[in-house]
Amino acid sequence: MVALAKPAIQQFPFTKTSCKTSTLFPVIPLIDLSKPDAKTLIIKACEEFGFFKVINHGVPLEFISRLEAEAVKFFSLPLPEKEQAGPPRPFGYGNKSIGPNGDVGWVEYLLFTANQESNLQRFVSLLGKNPEKFRGALNDYLSAVKKMACEILELMADGLKIQQRNVFSKLLMDEQSDSVFRLNHYPPCPDIQSLNGINNNMIGFGEHTDPQIISVLRSNNTSGLQISLRDGSWISVPPDQNSFFINVGDSLQVLTNGRFKSVRHRVLANSSKSRVSMIYFGGPPLSEKIAPLPALMKGHEQSLYKEFTWFEYKKSAYSSKLADNRLIHFEKIVA
Ligand code: GA4
């Protein structure tokens, strides 16, 4: 018997648009970084959603549009030229395949280390026809976004009433910080509306939480991003190309002993417009111990997590599937 191969498009993950998906409520928390109430609102957003949007962020819009233009130029190159940009895995150019364990999505991307100068510079020299322009745009963008991420982390420390304001931000500022940067391109996907007679949505990037401390996302004006609420429902995040979206990562959940929750999120492909996003993942040095901050432990409060280093967490993350709950292996069993 001859096994018929599935049409290529059906080999991708889909999600049914269920009634649990709400686009109206609740509203994504909005933080104006220039306002005095920013720190209080950030704490509330991290506790309730692990996610918020920031305006008045101080990142020049020109840095954003310059990097976006370079990314668009790169992604419109012929495939063999894009493939020149890596491996070594997990870094470089990737197409449809995400991570090492068989996850796929309707996405192509560039992934690279954001901190180790020499690695980054060597990698950028492989990009497109004018790597110098790409390098300039990337350096400007990364330093402005890293600065903003650190300001946000300092507002968090302040809001949590931790004396040492840089307790989180110093992890990103460290020369050895293991931060990553990702440029994603979600091409418009073929019309899949009527597949099986169900309203299907193709997955651009499957649901997951980010392993790092904080992620700073900016996208063009194409929708697709969704976050999961505590009750398991999904809400669509209206795109806003002039703002940034902040995700609490697993490591920040542990540093706050579960007070902040890392946010589960995903991206659905769009049938008509292409989506371009750029995400800075702020991570600690590999040798850093990730454990609840003593300053946050009240009375006899116990750590919810076993002790581990960022290296150990990352190693475990890279042996997981995208949608897995990675923190579960590090939770303490309480009698
Ligand atoms: C999710 C967040 C970042 O995009 C990323 C991803 C990484 C990858 O694409 O190589 C991972 C994923 C992410 C978590 C689990 C592992 C590793 C793919 C995957 C299946 C760069 C990261 O740091 O973790």
Side-chain angles (χ1 to χ4, degrees):
M1 200 174 76
V2 182
L4 288 178
K6 277 193 204 169
I9 192 126
Q10 285 186 37
Q11 292 168 10
F12 277 85
F14 291 94
T15 179
K16 293 179 183 60
T17 317
S18 75
C19 49
K20 269 196 134 186
T21 308
S22 154
T23 42
L24 297 174
F25 297 104
V27 172
I28 305 294
L30 174 66
I31 314 291
D32 182 339
L33 285 185
S34 67
K35 293 268 173 67
D37 64 357
K39 64 179 179 197
T40 317
L41 295 177
I42 288 176
I43 303 297
K44 199 164 171 271
C46 291
E47 289 174 347
E48 279 177 25
F49 295 83
F51 185 84
F52 56 93
K53 164 170 158 173
V54 288
I55 54 170
N56 284 321
H57 44 69
V59 177
L61 296 183
E62 186 239 328
F63 288 5
I64 302 174
S65 52
R66 210 149 37 91
L67 184 57
E68 184 180 338
E70 286 304 312
V72 167
K73 230 189 308 166
F74 174 81
F75 288 122
S76 44
L77 290 172
L79 189 59
E81 281 184 49
K82 292 188 275 195
E83 283 171 340
Q84 305 280 303
R89 293 278 165 245
F91 300 116
Y93 174 74
N95 194 325
K96 297 188 184 76
S97 150
I98 300 168
N101 302 313
D103 289 288
V104 289
W106 194 255
V107 63
E108 58 174 341
Y109 59 85
L110 279 169
L111 184 63
F112 33 92
T113 55
N115 225 42
Q116 294 135 1
E117 274 309 298
S118 53
N119 275 353
L120 177 62
Q121 303 310 353
R122 204 173 327 121
F123 174 66
V124 174
S125 66
L126 301 169
L127 294 179
K129 297 212 163 62
N130 192 345
E132 279 314 311
K133 249 179 109 190
F134 211 133
R135 190 196 313 266
L138 197 57
N139 285 345
D140 286 346
Y141 182 86
L142 275 176
S143 35
V145 162
K146 183 170 158 190
K147 184 165 170 267
M148 176 194 43
C150 287
E151 271 165 33
I152 292 174
L153 289 172
E154 286 170 15
L155 287 170
M156 285 179 188
D158 240 4
L160 289 167
K161 303 196 171 51
I162 300 173
Q163 293 235 317
Q164 195 192 348
R165 248 190 135 235
N166 70 348
V167 70
F168 302 123
S169 61
K170 68 172 198 239
L171 303 172
L172 271 56
M173 292 307 289
D174 194 301
E175 259 182 40
Q176 301 297 317
S177 137
D178 182 37
S179 297
V180 185
F181 186 63
R182 171 165 218 138
L183 286 166
N184 285 328
H185 172 225
Y186 301 90
C189 81
D191 188 7
I192 44 157
Q193 288 296 314
S194 55
L195 203 80
N196 306 329
I198 305 167
N199 198 12
N200 287 287
N201 272 307
M202 176 117 73
I203 297 287
F205 206 111
E207 64 176 277
H208 66 285
T209 60
D210 295 337
Q212 292 82 359
I213 297 172
I214 190 170
S215 319
V216 181
L217 175 141
R218 184 270 172 191
S219 80
N220 66 352
N221 258 347
T222 304
S223 63
L225 178 64
Q226 296 192 322
I227 61 165
S228 168
L229 303 181
R230 302 278 167 265
D231 65 0
S233 62
W234 288 96
I235 57 167
S236 296
V237 178
D240 178 350
Q241 59 185 1
N242 296 326
S243 305
F244 287 91
F245 293 95
I246 309 296
N247 291 353
V248 168
D250 295 341
S251 299
L252 189 53
Q253 174 168 330
V254 175
L255 290 165
T256 59
N257 205 25
R259 184 159 164 191
F260 290 0
K261 297 281 188 307
S262 59
V263 63
R264 201 156 254 274
H265 56 288
R266 67 183 181 189
V267 177
L268 303 183
N270 190 293
S271 61
S272 53
K273 285 173 74 194
S274 89
R275 175 179 161 96
V276 177
S277 63
M278 26 184 106
I279 311 123
Y280 166 77
F281 301 93
L286 287 172
S287 59
E288 190 71 28
K289 206 173 84 186
I290 309 297
L293 295 174
L296 285 179
M297 305 291 270
K298 293 186 207 104
H300 293 292
E301 188 175 332
Q302 300 275 313
S303 169
L304 298 174
Y305 306 94
K306 299 173 196 160
E307 277 207 3
F308 59 91
T309 61
W310 169 239
F311 174 79
E312 288 163 332
Y313 194 65
K314 206 174 141 176
K315 198 166 138 220
S316 153
Y318 270 93
S319 65
S320 68
K321 294 275 282 181
L322 196 55
D324 288 352
N325 177 340
R326 281 172 274 283
L327 272 181
I328 214 162
H329 308 293
F330 296 88
E331 281 167 5
K332 268 192 187 160
I333 302 149
V334 263

